[in-house]
């Protein structure tokens, strides 16, 4: 059951795809309190109540015990103290003695979620502007609550099948030679790969929709050579447009009045990579249309994928902010600066980036009304994604597009994927990556993943190796690193053979991963789920923070600690452990429900398959198009019979029909051996354990 309640004057956010009628009367369970402009929703919590949701955010899968703030933030330091990351995913679900219920707060401004932080027994959710539609959700189960919510927010974005391939990326591939070198090193060593990202280095002076002709003299030829080698490039597009008379994007935007303006009607200027920049008013449909059409130039050159960045929007400084900081410095120049002046001076410069002062300096045109940016801040990235998606769709309406973004708001899950931003090469960020998968799936973001190996700081080979072992399962699988950090491509390391072997597992599992992804996207369910969702009656499952259910048949439990040679795992039922070294080298170990220590050398990764289930595995390939989705080996542990619903399609159709893509694989045990059949499939059941 979902009920909508409106407060103040809600702004349309595009989050809800199926409009709900507005209810009058009191909201169940929550008390509603006005405090100035703000409006709060307060609920008492039992000692054992748990809270799930909030998509991309720090800390645990169970969000209880911290205060979060929905405020899309360009913050590369994803530490526990942070209240905000790049996304605003305003869904919380409570589960405990009194059942399953929750709220979705549809508000593009700041919303705080005090989840047992101020008082351990209370959750208080506050819309700071007090203009919001709040959706009260109640269901019998957490899975049911997510399903109902996902139904009203609409179908998740579907990437093309090749979007599930491995992406090698780096901020710092500055020339065509750099990219060709990376491609060659992968192909020569038979390291599977489908895409190469192009970071801001490819642009001419960091201008959107340009490329530096000195460094990339013939983009078209490069792309077509890559294509012949089954590789695609993924260029970045930034939200800020360089202030540059003579640049067509800038000139057109100025002429048509497409950039956000200050109260006095002058264009707002903020600095990002190109120095001074201006910001398209993505809240306007005509601006989205215009910006989206700008993608066509590169699409015409053969590009088929993009990533949208800096769209919180990130603003390093504005002219006003810089002036204030200089004024502070001038004021203190020559003085003996004491502690508080020192703090002020420091803050004047460090606080200049992404500042509230700047976010209140400019306005958007929302359906003819001038709305100050901070009131709709959290929508900016989502609306840029919408622009990109519209542009890609209009260029090629018959095929799915590949697009992922850094900032997001629910609603953007229909237009593209999301990567988890600028993490660090820290072991704790493997765990964060995994936990975020659970929350993001609840909010509809299925095509997601983190920078494998870590973006900031220098990675180590054991860290990359363990991270890849989680990345094998994330739909968006990208190794990306920051400028100036240590080389992070697989072939740079002495363990490259082991890393390559782990990647072969990804490509071998593609029929299963694609099938589960598509089934979840088309039915509005989650590909990754906390164990508490699937086993609500098992107390041991309720607080597991480092394992996730994957699809209908599997569970993952990655190793995320340095120098570990295994880990503790809780099996909620009998499961088959598949200990992979590569797609060809793995062992199958039937295990009983309960707690276990699992040995896992650095080159070994675990996958658990529920007893009674079988999953398909291909013979692998070095790119997605090279994987045969019909020649399959089954893995599993069954007593007598099992079946698997395999989904497959051409990989690009924009309106896939679930039933049309489903084929049933039937597996039967006879005389201690398993046998399998499925229409149009070659199946090998020799690896299915019987008994
Ligand atoms: C941002 C992005 C990062 C990218 C960098 C340069 O920090 O999050 O992925 O490499 O900008 O474009």
């Amino acid at each position: 059951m979902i009920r909508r309640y409106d407060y103040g004057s809600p702004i349309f956010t595009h989050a809800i795809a199926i409009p709900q009628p507005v209810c009058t009367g009191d909201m169940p369970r929550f008390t509603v309190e006005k405090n100035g402009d703000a409006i709060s929703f307060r609920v008492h919590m039992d000692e054992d109540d748990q809270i799930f949701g909030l998509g991309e955010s720090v800390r645990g899968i169970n969000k209880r015990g911290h205060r979060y703030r929905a405020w899309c933030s360009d913050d590369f330091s994803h530490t526990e103290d942070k209240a905000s990351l790049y996304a605003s995913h305003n869904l919380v679900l409570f589960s405990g003695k009194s059942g399953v219920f929750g709220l979705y707060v549809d508000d593009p401004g700041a919303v705080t979620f005090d989840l047992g932080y101020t008082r351990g027994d209370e959750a208080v959710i506050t819309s700071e502007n007090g203009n919001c539609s709040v959706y009260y959700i109640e269901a019998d189960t957490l899975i049911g609550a997510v399903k109902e919510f996902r139904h009203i927010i609409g179908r998740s974005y579907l990437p093309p099948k090749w979007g599930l391939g491995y992406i090698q990326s780096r901020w710092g591939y500055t020339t065509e030679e750099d990219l060709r070198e990376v491609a060659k090193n992968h192909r020569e060593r038979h390291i599977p790969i489908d895409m190469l990202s192009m970071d801001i280095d490819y642009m001419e002076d960091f201008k959107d929709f340009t490329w530096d002709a000195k460094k990339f003299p013939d983009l078209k030829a490069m792309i077509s050579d890559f294509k012949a080698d089954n590789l695609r490039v993924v260029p970045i597009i930034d939200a800020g447009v360089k202030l540059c008379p003579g640049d067509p994007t800038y000139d057109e935007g100025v002429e048509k009045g497409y950039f956000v303006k200050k109260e006095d009607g002058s264009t707002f200027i903020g600095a990002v990579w190109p120095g001074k920049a201006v910001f398209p008013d993505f809240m306007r449909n005509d601006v989205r249309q215009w910006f989206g059409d700008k993608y066509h130039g590169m699409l015409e050159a053969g590009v088929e994928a993009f990533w949208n960045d800096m769209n919180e929007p990130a603003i390093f400084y504005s002219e006003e902010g810089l002036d204030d900081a200089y004024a502070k410095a001038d004021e203190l120049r020559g003085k003996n600066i004491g502690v508080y002046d020192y703090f002020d001076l420091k803050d004047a410069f460090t606080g200049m980036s992404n500042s509230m002062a700047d976010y209140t300096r400019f306005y958007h045109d929302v359906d003819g009304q001038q709305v100050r940016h901070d009131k709709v801040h959290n929508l900016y990235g989502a609306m840029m994604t919408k622009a990109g998606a519209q542009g890609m769709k209009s260029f090629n309406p018959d095929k799915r597009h590949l697009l992922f973004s850094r900032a997001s708001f629910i609603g953007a899950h229909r237009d593209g994927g999301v990567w988890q931003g600028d993490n660090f090469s820290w072991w704790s960020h493997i765990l964060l990556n995994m936990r975020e998968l659970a929350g993001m799936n609840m909010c509809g973001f299925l095509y997601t993943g983190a920078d494998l190996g870590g973006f900031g700081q220098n990675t180590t080979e054991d860290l990359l190796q363990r991270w890849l072992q989680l990345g094998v399962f994330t739909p968006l699988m990208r190794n990306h690193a920051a400028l100036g950090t240590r080389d992070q491509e697989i072939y740079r390391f002495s363990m490259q053979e082991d890393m390559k072997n782990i990647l072969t597992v990804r490509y071998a599992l593609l029929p299963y991963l694609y099938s589960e992804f598509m089934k979840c996207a088309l039915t509005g369910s989650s590909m990754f789920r906390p164990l508490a969702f699937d086993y609500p009656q098992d107390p041991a499952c309720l607080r597991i923070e480092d394992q996730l259910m994957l699809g209908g048949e599997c569970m993952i439990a990655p190793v995320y600690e340095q120098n570990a040679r295994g880990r503790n795992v809780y099996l909620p039922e009998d499961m088959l452990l598949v200990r992979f070294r590569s797609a060809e080298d793995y062992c199958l170990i039937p295990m009983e429900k309960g707690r276990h220590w699992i040995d896992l050398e650095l080159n070994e990764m675990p996958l658990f398959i529920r007893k009674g289930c079988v999953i398909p595995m291909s013979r692998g390939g070095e790119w997605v198009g090279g994987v045969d989705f019909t020649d399959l080996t089954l893995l599993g542990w069954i007593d007598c019979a099992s079946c698997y619903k395999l989904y497959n399609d051409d990989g690009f159709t924009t309106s896939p029909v679930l039933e049309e893509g489903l084929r049933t694989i039937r597996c039967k045990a006879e005389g201690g051996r398993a046998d399998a059949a499925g229409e149009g499939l070659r199946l090998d059941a020799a690896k299915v354990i019987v008994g």
Side-chain angles (χ1 to χ4, degrees):
M1 176 258 277
I2 298 197
R3 283 196 199 155
R4 166 180 167 189
Y5 298 85
D6 279 7
Y7 303 92
S9 315
I11 292 173
F12 178 63
T13 66
H14 300 262
I16 303 295
I18 303 180
Q20 304 294 303
V22 182
C23 296
T24 48
D26 291 341
M27 187 190 292
R29 298 184 200 245
F30 290 84
T31 46
V32 182
E33 296 157 17
K34 276 291 280 173
N35 187 3
D37 283 345
I39 188 152
S40 298
F41 308 92
R42 185 184 298 269
V43 70
H44 173 79
M45 293 189 289
D46 182 70
E47 209 186 322
D48 287 332
D49 284 356
Q50 305 194 77
I51 311 174
F52 299 98
L54 290 186
E56 185 186 286
S57 52
V58 296
R59 298 204 175 206
I61 295 175
N62 179 354
K63 309 312 286 186
R64 187 166 177 169
H66 189 51
R67 183 163 53 185
Y68 299 87
R69 184 163 186 261
W71 184 258
C72 294
S73 300
D74 168 28
D75 188 338
F76 58 83
S77 179
H78 309 168
T79 45
E80 274 184 29
D81 55 315
K82 294 298 157 67
S84 315
L85 293 179
Y86 310 89
S88 293
H89 299 156
N90 300 347
L91 171 75
V92 277
L93 295 174
F94 297 78
S95 163
K97 262 198 212 133
S98 62
V100 172
F101 63 97
L103 290 188
Y104 170 61
V105 184
D106 197 16
D107 178 349
V111 179
T112 53
F113 294 86
D114 180 334
L115 306 179
Y117 169 83
T118 302
R119 276 188 63 128
D121 61 351
E122 261 185 13
V124 185
I125 297 156
T126 304
S127 155
E128 294 182 16
N129 297 315
N131 297 317
C132 51
S133 294
V134 178
Y135 295 78
Y136 173 81
I137 305 163
E138 203 175 288
D140 292 339
T141 60
L142 284 158
I143 288 183
V146 169
K147 206 153 182 146
E148 286 206 46
F149 177 63
R150 295 274 299 284
H151 176 69
I152 66 162
I153 61 171
R155 193 188 82 185
S156 293
Y157 158 77
L158 303 176
K161 198 189 274 181
W162 50 263
L164 269 68
Y166 179 63
I167 314 176
Q168 179 57 52
S169 184
R170 156 168 286 279
W171 176 8
Y173 296 150
T174 50
T175 62
E176 177 173 332
E177 285 71 53
D178 287 349
L179 287 181
R180 287 189 187 272
E181 187 67 20
V182 176
K184 187 164 151 263
N185 274 299
H186 281 82
R187 286 285 178 246
E188 273 180 5
R189 292 170 166 80
H190 307 287
I191 301 172
I193 186 168
D194 274 82
M195 284 166 273
L196 297 166
S197 284
M198 294 171 73
D199 208 321
I200 48 171
D201 323 85
Y202 81 85
M203 297 179 187
E204 183 188 85
D205 298 329
F206 306 125
K207 283 182 288 189
D208 271 343
F209 311 114
T210 66
W211 62 90
D212 189 326
K214 279 190 234 95
K215 300 188 224 150
F216 295 87
D218 193 345
L219 193 72
K220 234 177 163 164
M222 181 189 83
I223 291 170
S224 108
D225 287 353
F226 280 151
K227 244 182 218 170
D229 202 5
N230 300 295
L231 282 168
R232 291 172 161 95
V233 293
V234 194
I236 195 170
I237 303 291
D238 280 336
V241 169
K242 184 177 168 80
L243 191 163
C244 180
D247 169 54
T249 308
Y250 176 76
D251 286 349
E252 277 167 41
V254 170
E255 191 198 318
K256 302 207 165 105
Y258 284 166
F259 300 123
V260 293
K261 295 189 179 55
K262 296 194 283 191
E263 202 169 6
D264 64 5
S266 62
T267 301
F268 171 78
I269 298 167
V272 211
W273 307 121
K276 287 184 187 174
V278 291
F279 299 85
D281 188 354
F282 290 122
M283 297 298 292
R284 285 169 55 179
N285 192 34
D286 54 346
V287 177
R288 290 198 294 272
Q289 178 87 42
W290 165 73
F291 197 83
D293 286 348
K294 288 267 153 208
Y295 288 63
H296 290 187
M298 297 189 87
L299 291 166
E300 270 153 20
V303 169
E304 293 174 82
F306 289 97
W307 48 310
N308 281 350
D309 192 21
M310 306 299 274
N311 49 1
E312 294 71 30
I315 302 173
F316 296 163
Y317 61 85
S318 64
E319 291 178 321
E320 293 86 344
L322 200 56
D323 284 347
D324 290 347
Y326 288 146
K328 185 83 214 157
D330 286 340
E331 179 196 320
L332 296 175
R333 197 186 302 277
K335 285 195 185 152
N336 177 1
I337 300 177
V339 58
Y340 299 116
D341 280 340
Y342 163 70
F343 285 159
D344 284 351
L345 180 64
K346 188 163 66 69
D347 292 350
F349 286 89
T350 55
M352 210 159 59
S353 300
N354 308 317
S355 73
M356 202 47 153
D358 282 343
Y359 290 138
T360 51
R361 275 191 231 282
F362 60 92
Y363 290 76
H364 295 273
D365 178 340
V366 181
D367 302 326
Q369 303 255 5
Q370 290 299 105
V371 177
R372 207 173 65 192
H373 174 77
D374 58 307
K375 312 272 182 208
V376 290
H377 172 78
N378 292 334
L379 265 186
Y380 193 77
M383 292 300 106
M384 181 191 181
T385 303
K386 195 177 230 1
Q390 255 170 240
M392 294 183 83
K393 279 186 204 161
S394 66
F395 184 81
N396 202 344
D398 301 330
K399 288 198 172 161
R400 293 180 215 154
H401 62 278
L402 190 80
L403 177 66
F404 50 94
S405 167
R406 195 171 71 175
S408 63
F409 190 81
I410 291 176
H413 72 286
R414 299 192 298 270
D415 293 316
V418 162
W419 95 98
Q420 296 168 3
D422 298 346
N423 56 13
F424 278 147
S425 297
W426 290 346
W427 290 87
S428 59
H429 279 184
I430 300 183
L431 191 56
L432 179 62
N433 177 183
M434 194 202 77
R435 289 172 172 167
E436 285 185 329
L437 292 172
M440 291 173 82
N441 272 224
M442 292 172 211
C443 299
F445 293 91
L446 299 187
Y447 187 65
T448 185
D451 288 349
L452 304 174
F455 173 75
Q457 303 182 347
N458 293 323
T459 201
T460 57
E461 56 183 334
D462 53 347
L463 177 67
L464 177 58
Q465 167 76 330
R466 288 300 193 197
W467 214 327
L468 287 168
Q469 294 173 2
L470 167 63
V472 157
F473 303 111
T474 64
L476 170 54
M477 186 185 190
R478 184 174 80 149
N479 175 345
H480 181 51
L483 187 70
T485 57
R486 175 181 186 182
D487 292 331
Q488 201 167 288
E489 298 81 12
I490 285 177
Y491 56 83
R492 307 282 187 177
F493 299 101
S494 65
M495 264 177 222
Q496 57 176 277
E497 206 52 32
D498 291 338
M499 294 183 193
K500 177 179 103 180
N501 287 340
I502 291 302
L503 257 188
T504 64
V505 177
R506 160 65 159 220
Y507 280 73
L509 285 176
L510 275 174
Y512 179 67
L513 295 173
Y514 185 67
S515 173
E516 291 306 301
F517 182 98
M518 293 297 287
K519 286 193 280 184
C520 289
L522 296 175
T523 58
S525 28
S526 295
M527 190 170 166
F528 294 101
R529 300 173 306 279
L531 269 61
F533 278 48
D534 287 49
Y535 305 93
Q537 307 306 339
D538 181 346
C541 283
L542 299 186
R543 290 179 192 278
I544 291 183
E545 288 276 347
D546 60 357
Q547 304 174 204
L548 287 180
M549 299 310 293
L550 158 61
E553 292 71 21
C554 295
M555 185 182 81
I556 59 168
V559 175
Y560 54 89
E561 281 176 339
Q562 187 158 29
N563 298 320
R565 290 294 178 266
R567 58 162 287 171
N568 285 306
V569 174
Y570 177 71
L571 303 189
E573 55 180 301
D574 293 352
M575 288 184 169
L576 177 70
L577 163 63
V578 188
R579 189 158 50 199
F580 282 110
R581 286 206 184 97
S582 76
E584 262 120 48
D585 182 6
Y586 54 88
C587 58
L588 306 169
I589 308 168
M591 300 190 73
E592 280 178 10
K593 171 181 160 78
R595 293 184 200 282
H596 299 269
W597 168 264
I598 314 277
D599 288 322
L600 294 158
E601 290 299 322
L602 203 44
N603 62 350
E604 294 176 326
M605 57 167 276
L607 174 66
F608 298 88
I609 306 173
R610 299 166 60 192
K611 184 168 186 196
C613 298
V614 290
I615 68 161
M617 201 166 95
S618 76
R619 295 183 188 281
E622 288 182 35
W623 57 90
V624 173
V627 175
D628 184 349
F629 279 56
T630 62
D631 185 5
L632 305 168
T633 300
L634 299 184
L635 298 182
W637 174 23
I638 63 169
D639 275 333
C640 49
S642 176
C643 74
Y644 177 70
K645 294 266 185 205
L646 177 75
Y647 177 88
N648 195 17
D649 60 17
D650 57 16
F652 56 78
T653 178
T654 53
S655 308
V657 178
L658 183 66
E659 291 68 32
E660 286 174 12
L662 284 178
R663 267 181 277 183
T664 304
I665 294 175
R666 288 181 205 289
C667 186
K668 260 199 340 248
E670 256 169 340
R673 278 182 58 88
D675 229 341
E679 203 195 316
L681 302 170
R682 259 174 299 152
L683 295 165
D684 173 1
K687 299 281 183 189
V688 175
I689 293 186
V690 177

